[in-house]
Amino acid sequence: TGDHAGNAIPHRLGTLGLTEADRARHIAWDIGVHDLGKALAHALDAPFIFQHYSRLVIDCNRDPAHPDAALKVSDGSVISGNAALTADRLGARVAAIHAPYHARIAAELARRAAETRPTIFIALHSFTPTLGGTSRPWEVGILHDGGDTRFAKALVADLMARADITVGDNEPYRMDATDYSVPRHAYAAGLPYAEIEIRQDLLADAAGVAAWSRTLCSACKTALRLTATTGAAP
């Protein structure tokens, strides 16, 4: 899945008060995830369900009731189009964007369950190299918390065994109660999962995307084998 793979804004919302530069920044979307998701899905023969609309319109990795569901300020940029957002207008965004996206994910998982197809839930994200003036040295982070964490931990182990990669275990973010997609879809169903964060400068061109697709494809296959040997659902 790619909760933040797009940066589109519905025409009726204008630009949300953002400059063109801000709409291209990390505050609006997870840069590189669309192309990485397409490449990795092809390599793994997996469906890739992603969101076209910007996280600043409605964040599909937040509960709609969470204060961060439609940010008013992000990394120093004011989102004036969200400043006086009423409950009705927020509800309209949820109904048009957030709810259909999660319904699409749920439908795919239900279809696979009905066909008794084993499933691992992988959520793709990317992170900015610096935030608030602080550099972030990790190249990839694997996030996990509740539910069946064995696949995520096996993925961490495989990536950490590669001397040329700087890996964050629940870094640069820790999966917590603010996350929505993985807990909603993976925890309740008992699915193995991993939330994968790639540093955005490493996805800046086609070569970087291809390289990370190869790395993650290899790591996921290894993690699948390791997970299967521990008794988790493959």
Side-chain angles (χ1 to χ4, degrees):
T1 60
D3 297 342
H4 306 141
N7 64 347
I9 299 174
H11 291 300
R12 67 179 179 275
L13 299 182
T15 65
L16 288 177
L18 296 166
T19 65
E20 185 176 349
D22 271 340
R23 295 196 302 274
R25 289 178 64 209
H26 73 93
I27 64 171
W29 60 332
D30 281 351
I31 296 167
V33 160
H34 176 270
D35 291 343
L36 176 64
K38 290 284 190 180
L40 188 59
H42 178 75
L44 292 173
D45 190 23
F48 177 44
I49 301 172
F50 61 93
Q51 181 54 259
H52 295 274
Y53 289 102
S54 172
R55 65 196 302 172
L56 297 179
V57 177
I58 184 72
D59 192 329
C60 286
N61 194 32
R62 296 292 181 268
D63 188 302
H66 194 279
D68 290 350
L71 288 171
K72 295 176 174 58
V73 179
S74 182
D75 195 20
S77 293
V78 175
I79 300 93
S80 61
N82 291 343
L85 188 60
T86 65
D88 285 348
R89 290 177 179 173
L90 177 63
R93 297 185 193 183
V94 173
I97 297 172
H98 191 286
Y101 173 69
H102 285 288
R104 174 69 184 85
I105 295 172
E108 176 64 22
L109 294 176
R111 182 186 69 82
R112 295 176 67 87
E115 295 173 357
T116 63
R117 298 185 66 182
T119 299
I120 292 175
F121 191 97
I122 296 176
L124 294 177
H125 293 265
S126 67
F127 64 95
T128 182
T130 62
L131 186 65
T134 301
S135 295
R136 299 157 120 186
W138 308 279
E139 294 168 292
V140 57
I142 307 300
L143 280 55
H144 52 88
D145 184 25
D148 185 346
T149 62
R150 284 173 285 186
F151 178 81
K153 290 178 178 178
L155 197 56
V156 170
D158 178 82
L159 291 168
M160 283 189 168
R162 304 175 187 227
D164 59 336
I165 301 177
T166 304
V167 182
D169 184 359
N170 272 326
E171 297 284 0
Y173 306 106
R174 181 172 189 85
M175 182 175 284
D176 57 25
T178 64
D179 284 277
Y180 183 79
S181 292
V182 168
R184 171 173 174 166
H185 297 290
Y187 288 10
L191 296 177
Y193 71 89
E195 187 165 320
I196 302 175
E197 294 265 3
I198 304 292
R199 206 174 66 208
Q200 290 167 357
D201 58 312
L202 304 176
L203 301 175
D205 55 32
V209 168
W212 275 100
S213 176
R214 289 192 298 269
T215 296
L216 292 176
C217 181
S218 170
C220 284
K221 288 179 177 179
T222 299
L224 174 59
R225 291 194 297 270
L226 292 174
T227 302
T229 62
T230 65

